[in-house]
Amino acid sequence: IHQPRSQIFHLFDYLMILAKGEQLYFGKREASIPYFGALGYPCPKKENPADFFIDLLSIDPTSQDTTKESECRVNSIIELSRNKRIANI
């Protein structure tokens, strides 16, 4: 399911979140928000977490600057996620 309404999102038990073909998160839904917060990307209190994850992990093609900025952000999150998984092994 891609970007569900918040009511649907809260019905999920587990989530798998991918970016650029890489698994960034797999675990309980309620742990996903603290997980990304620990990476330095806290979800705003009243935002739909599904919208937050899509915005956070999408490349914005609006301009060269937004494309470059969003590519850097996503690549950084991928690297942080890799490092976190390695640290937990």
Side-chain angles (χ1 to χ4, degrees), residues 1-74:
I1 294 180
H2 184 271
Q3 198 172 355
R5 292 188 343 228
S6 60
Q7 293 91 336
I8 301 296
F9 177 84
H10 290 289
L11 295 175
F12 294 145
D13 292 323
Y14 289 88
L15 294 176
M16 180 182 289
I17 299 176
L18 307 168
K20 292 185 161 186
E22 295 213 29
Q23 179 183 306
L24 301 181
Y25 177 82
F26 178 74
K28 292 189 174 202
R29 175 205 31 89
E30 62 270 12
S32 62
I33 294 168
Y35 176 85
F36 282 91
L39 295 180
Y41 298 93
C43 180
K45 291 247 185 237
K46 296 194 178 200
E47 188 164 347
N48 176 356
D51 290 337
F52 171 74
F53 293 136
I54 293 294
D55 291 343
L56 181 65
L57 300 170
S58 295
I59 305 303
D60 182 353
T62 306
S63 71
Q64 287 182 345
D65 288 340
T66 60
T67 300
K68 185 176 179 179
E69 179 183 310
S70 58
E71 285 257 357
C72 287
R73 182 187 62 244
V74 171

